[in-house]
Amino acid sequence: MFELLQESLFQMALVAALLVGLCAPAVGTFIVQRRLSLLGDGIGHVALTGVALGFLTGTAPVLTAVVVSVAGAVAIELVRARGRTSGDVALALLFYGGIAGGVMLMGIAPGGSNAKLNSYLFGAIASVTAEDLWVIAALAVAVIGVVVVFGRELFVLCQDEEMAKASGLPVRFLSLLIAVTAALTVVIAMRVVGLLLVSALMVIPVATSQQLTRGFRATMGLAMLFGVLASVGGLLASTYSAKVPPGAAIVLLALAGFVLALGVGRFVRRGRTQESIVSERPNMRVEEVA
């Protein structure tokens, strides 16, 4: 283990895994609360077009993925908000158009191949470069900054959009902010878990945390912890066995944590129910009858 920590490639992969484990559940908490769990999948497919565009133009795929995924996230939120089509139809359009555009552009890009495409679809954390890490770190700072600065307003929006409007909050701006932040998170995680699995890391740790906690902040904090554990655990599993894909290992570990929390959560909820019954039970007074 100590020998691995001294290798530069493992160090970069570890930092990337930590950043993804923190950011994905943090943004996923708002997405799950707003019942847009498939948003990450839709943006992930659009980001694939951005990756292929990077290979086609000879620029950094991560940067073009940021531009295209943010544009796609803004488009889906505007379509959903104006009510011209339902949210699920708009997400379907992103699914089909994004992945078809990515495959098409990768096919005509100079030096494009299915192997390069697969590394972004399913993740290739071992191939994270120093340039990728700097971009990932900058995007992670932006994502965490949004959560810290606008966390309270986003919480109100996710709880009740009508109440947010009545409170005078800029609902349109906050909705776009969630979509853009989700797009940045997808780009952050695509080198670690892959575009096809990134939504799982945004949703599963949150669902796991919900089995054990009540409050919004507690749910987010515990979800981020679960995300880090799954990311680092998947990285270690793939490091010790070359046959283990890191993205799949991360998601499977997150799923295992959810199954475990599902069982533990039953006992936690049962204990809370018993405590509430005891606390609400009126004081019994025994009267002696002469």
Side-chain angles (χ1 to χ4, degrees), residues 232-246:
V232 175
L235 172 62
L236 293 176
S238 64
T239 301
Y240 285 110
S241 177
K243 295 182 179 181
V244 177

Side-chain angles (χ1 to χ4, degrees), residues 136-151:
I136 291 173
L139 295 177
V141 170
V143 169
I144 297 299
V146 168
V147 173
V148 171
V149 175
F150 297 97

Side-chain angles (χ1 to χ4, degrees), residues 208-234:
T208 304
S209 180
Q210 288 177 337
Q211 304 300 317
L212 305 173
T213 59
R214 283 185 174 180
F216 187 83
R217 291 183 179 179
T219 298
M220 178 182 291
L222 194 58
M224 293 171 72
L225 175 60
F226 288 150
V228 169
L229 292 177
S231 298
V232 175

Side-chain angles (χ1 to χ4, degrees), residues 6 16 39 41 59 112 124 155 160 193:
Q6 296 176 358
L39 181 63
D41 271 331
T59 56
F155 167 74
D160 191 337
V193 295

Side-chain angles (χ1 to χ4, degrees), residues 150-172:
F150 297 97
R152 181 171 298 179
E153 291 81 0
L154 293 177
F155 167 74
V156 175
L157 174 66
C158 294
Q159 289 294 317
D160 191 337
E161 186 170 332
E162 295 301 325
M163 185 176 66
K165 290 180 180 179
S167 301
L169 294 177
V171 172
R172 178 65 59 83

Side-chain angles (χ1 to χ4, degrees), residues 1 14-15 29 33-34 37 54 63 68 72 96 102 108-109 126 143 149 157 165 176 184 222 226-227 246 249 261 288:
M1 181 64 182
L14 181 61
V15 173
T29 304
Q33 193 69 29
R34 214 177 180 198
S37 299
L63 296 179
V68 174
Y96 305 139
I108 64 178
V143 169
V149 175
L157 174 66
K165 290 180 180 179
L176 289 174
L184 296 180
L222 194 58
F226 288 150
E288 295 183 0

